[in-house]
């Protein structure tokens, strides 16, 4: 790399000056870095680890839309691969095109009723639980995860399969936190100099998750359970000889990682934000019966701006690539952070304020909003579950706000960047039936 001009950014020589900035955590550091450098690409170097950080909407477009085939998914997510292997999230670019086409029927528009029904049943069960203890303080993050995991299993895998939601969530949290820690630049460097994280911590969790996935597949194959949308699509592909048992396992594992924690972050932070804005909560209630729900839509979009579940999109260059006027050499890590780009005042006035009004009258299509808005990414790897996620979030937020008043307890959540963003200490809200 020595003969290639690097973009500006903090280098090893300045590491001591940078360390205090790191004290507030990775997310705050990325936001600060994005604001400090007025450059399209920033080069971040800590020890032997380095990243090219995309820092301008035009470069987001180059990275995600114009030349996505010149990158592979980052090699940094090792442990996660044990669970999700070559599922859609991590598959090789050469097999990914066919794979995405094959899975598309599971996400088609026609499944609105199936998604609604399962989400409604689980949301109603949660509302019943909350109603039994009026005025109690509940961890909305945990409760939203349980609802959305149970709904995901019913919709995508099997309506009848039993799911020990607390155990599955605890096991996934263990794996995701472990991977999240390892994927930060600093932790990578610790690993490189020989300090290893205790892999045994996640071995039991991975084994239990594998057993859960095996039961879904065996139960559906043997007719004990009926097949949900994804499993039905996959079993048809298996009958045509296009996929094998390992592919089935990996696609289910992929959705356990990508398909409920993400949406639950959206629901959780939307409810938390609305708790401080009774005017907006009332507006959401008032428009509940209307065909258009501009306030709810704007609340969800603003929540995704401030709290994008996928806080960073990681890739590795598979060849030398031009980005923002610089050459990214083959093998280097490139990252675009929705969290940092969506909090940059260059594109978002008053970026730290929760102000859904900024999305009133905005175009429906995220791409038309500009590349500085990328909660579901852009280009060919755009989130395949976006429609389902938004449908579920609309239903949950509007139903829960209609039936309960929410009150914030304690200060703002301490955000931590696992693979998916979360509130480190849960998200307590006082919940009172209306
Ligand atoms: C608010 C909720 C969600 C957010 C913010 C979100 C965000 C994202 C983002 C940013 C990506 C691109 C990742 C990358 O390229 O590295 C992605 C990909 C993906 N998402 Fe989502 N997602 C959400 C919900 C869902 C749901 C509900 C599902 C499935 C039921 C899902 C399944 C996937 C899959 C399979 C991919 C890989 C797509 C591909 O590469 O072809 N996501 N998501």
């Amino acid at each position: 790399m020595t003969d290639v001009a690097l973009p500006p950014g903090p280098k090893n020589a300045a590491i001591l000056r940078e360390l205090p900035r790191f004290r507030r955590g990775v997310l705050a550091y990325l936001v600060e870095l994005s604001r400090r450098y007025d450059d399209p690409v920033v080069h971040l170097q800590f020890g032997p680890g380095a990243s090219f950080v995309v820092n301008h909407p035009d470069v987001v477009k180059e990275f995600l839309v114009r030349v996505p085939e010149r990158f592979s998914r980052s090699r940094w997510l090792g442990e996660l691969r044990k669970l999700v292997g070559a599922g859609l999230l991590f598959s090789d670019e050469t097999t990914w095109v066919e794979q995405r086409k094959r899975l598309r029927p599971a996400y088609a528009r026609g499944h609105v009723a199936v998604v609604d029904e399962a989400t409604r049943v689980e949301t109603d069960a949660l509302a019943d639980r909350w109603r039994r203890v009026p005025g109690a303080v509940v961890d909305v993050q945990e409760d939203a995860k349980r609802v959305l995991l149970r709904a995901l299993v019913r919709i995508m895998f099997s309506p009848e399969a039993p799911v020990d939601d607390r155990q599955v969530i605890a096991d996934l949290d263990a794996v995701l936190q472990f991977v999240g820690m390892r994927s930060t630049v600093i932790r990578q460097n610790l690993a490189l100099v020989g300090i290893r994280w205790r892999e045994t911590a996640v071995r039991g969790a991975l084994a239990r998750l594998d057993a859960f996935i095996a039961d879904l597949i065996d139960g559906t194959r043997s007719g004990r359970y009926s097949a949900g949308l994804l499993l039905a699509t996959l079993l048809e592909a298996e009958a045509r000889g296009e996929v094998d048992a390992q592919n089935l396992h990996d696609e289910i594992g992929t959705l356990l990682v990508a398909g409920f924690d993400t949406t639950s972050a959206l629901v959780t932070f939307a409810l938390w934000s609305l708790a401080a804005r009774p005017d907006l909560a009332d507006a959401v209630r008032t428009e509940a019966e209307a065909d258009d729900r501009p306030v709810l839509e704007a609340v969800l979009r603003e929540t995704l701006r401030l709290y994008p579940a996928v806080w960073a999109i990681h890739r590795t260059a598979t060849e030398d690539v031009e980005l923002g006027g610089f050459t990214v050499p083959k093998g280097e890590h490139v990252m675009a952070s929705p969290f940092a780009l969506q909090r940059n005042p260059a594109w978002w006035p008053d970026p730290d304020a929760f102000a859904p009004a900024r999305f009133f009258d905005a175009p429906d299509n995220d791409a038309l909003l500009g590349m500085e808005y990328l909660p579901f990414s852009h280009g060919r790897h755009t989130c395949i579950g976006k429609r389902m996620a938004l449908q579920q979030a609309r239903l949950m937020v509007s139903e829960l706000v209609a039936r309960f008043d929410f009150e914030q307890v304690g200060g703002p959540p301490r955000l931590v960047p696992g693979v998916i963003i979360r509130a480190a200490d849960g998200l307590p809200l006082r919940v009172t039936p209306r």
Side-chain angles (χ1 to χ4, degrees):
M1 292 208 21
T2 44
D3 53 349
V4 177
L6 289 173
K11 305 285 184 283
N12 275 335
I15 202 159
L16 284 179
R17 233 181 310 133
E18 288 299 296
L19 280 180
R21 296 189 162 115
F22 229 95
R23 254 200 345 247
R24 287 176 50 230
V26 173
L27 291 171
Y29 183 75
L30 287 174
V31 169
E32 191 275 329
L33 194 74
S34 168
R35 293 179 184 184
R36 187 173 9 140
Y37 287 90
D38 190 16
D39 300 276
V41 185
V42 176
H43 187 255
L44 177 62
Q45 196 171 42
F46 271 120
S51 296
F52 288 77
V53 183
V54 173
N55 199 34
H56 191 283
D58 292 348
V59 187
V60 171
K61 190 164 193 171
E62 288 177 42
F63 178 46
L64 295 175
V65 183
R66 294 220 180 98
V67 290
E69 70 286 355
R70 296 196 188 156
F71 298 95
S72 63
R73 310 305 176 103
S74 173
R75 61 186 183 278
W76 285 4
L77 299 171
E79 287 306 306
L80 206 49
R81 275 178 211 256
K82 288 187 189 158
L83 181 66
V84 305
L88 193 62
L89 205 48
F90 292 126
S91 56
D92 196 295
E93 286 295 314
T94 51
T95 50
W96 170 86
V97 176
E98 279 300 304
Q99 203 172 345
R100 179 135 175 161
K101 207 163 94 193
R102 194 179 298 129
L103 295 179
R104 203 163 285 146
Y107 298 90
R109 270 177 206 282
H111 302 312
V112 172
V114 177
V115 173
D116 245 30
E117 150 82 5
T119 313
R120 194 177 295 280
V121 166
E122 298 298 339
T123 305
D124 285 348
L126 174 65
D128 287 346
R129 278 210 313 274
W130 282 356
R131 210 179 282 281
R132 268 181 247 131
V133 277
V137 173
V138 300
D139 179 359
V140 176
Q141 179 168 258
E142 179 70 12
D143 283 346
K145 277 189 195 183
R146 290 180 65 195
V147 165
L148 286 158
L149 169 61
R150 298 182 69 82
L152 178 77
V153 172
R154 293 170 77 109
I155 296 164
M156 285 297 191
F157 308 144
S158 164
E160 301 90 22
V163 44
D164 182 349
D165 50 26
R166 288 183 200 272
Q167 186 67 57
V168 173
I169 287 170
D171 288 339
L172 282 165
D173 278 352
V175 175
L176 293 180
Q177 277 188 45
F178 183 78
V179 173
M181 284 197 299
R182 281 164 53 115
S183 68
T184 62
V185 173
I186 283 188
R187 309 286 205 243
Q188 284 295 306
N189 288 329
L190 290 180
L192 284 174
V193 296
I195 299 175
R196 305 243 167 261
W197 297 96
R198 283 186 310 126
E199 311 228 345
T200 44
V202 290
R203 217 171 279 154
L206 280 170
R208 271 190 302 274
L209 290 168
D210 278 344
F212 173 58
I213 293 173
D215 179 62
L216 289 170
I217 297 172
D218 295 346
T220 312
R221 272 215 188 100
S222 67
R224 262 186 299 133
Y225 315 141
S226 59
L229 299 175
L230 185 90
L231 257 176
T233 305
L234 284 168
L235 290 173
E236 280 168 25
E238 191 183 39
R240 292 193 301 271
E242 293 171 8
V243 298
D244 60 18
Q246 185 65 44
N247 297 133
L248 260 64
H249 169 282
D250 292 351
E251 295 300 353
I252 294 175
T254 296
L255 284 206
L256 288 177
V257 171
F260 79 96
D261 225 357
T262 41
T263 311
S264 76
L266 169 56
V267 170
T268 302
F269 290 113
L271 291 176
W272 185 82
S273 305
L274 285 174
R277 291 290 305 272
D279 57 323
L280 287 173
D282 276 341
V284 169
R285 287 175 193 121
T286 306
E287 67 181 16
E289 300 305 323
D291 289 341
D292 284 342
R293 289 181 288 181
V295 180
L296 178 62
E297 294 302 325
V299 163
L300 295 180
R301 281 181 132 179
E302 179 69 339
T303 306
L304 285 164
R305 182 185 71 80
L306 279 173
Y307 309 98
V310 179
W311 58 277
I313 297 168
H314 298 280
R315 297 287 189 271
T316 300
T318 51
E319 56 187 277
D320 291 0
V321 192
E322 293 294 313
L323 272 190
F326 292 93
T327 302
V328 178
K330 177 179 173 179
E332 291 296 312
H333 176 246
V334 183
M335 177 175 90
S337 168
F339 191 89
L341 288 157
Q342 293 173 180
R343 286 175 181 240
N344 191 317
W347 304 291
W348 301 98
D350 199 4
D352 299 321
F354 180 76
R358 67 175 95 231
F359 288 106
F360 290 168
D361 305 321
D364 286 347
N365 184 335
D366 282 354
L368 297 178
L369 280 174
M371 294 287 132
E372 61 273 28
Y373 189 71
L374 62 161
F376 292 103
S377 189
H378 290 293
R380 63 193 207 154
H381 288 289
T382 302
C383 177
I384 196 170
K386 177 179 172 185
R387 186 182 306 124
M388 172 169 152
L390 289 174
Q391 189 189 333
Q392 291 188 294
R394 277 182 207 114
L395 189 152
M396 275 186 82
V397 172
S398 64
E399 288 292 320
L400 293 172
V401 164
R403 296 187 220 177
F404 298 93
D405 282 322
F406 294 92
E407 189 193 323
Q408 290 186 357
V409 183
R414 191 164 59 86
L415 300 178
V416 283
V419 171
I420 289 159
I421 220 166
R422 67 190 172 87
D425 314 304
L427 235 169
L429 287 179
R430 188 178 305 286
V431 180
T432 310
R434 291 174 61 80

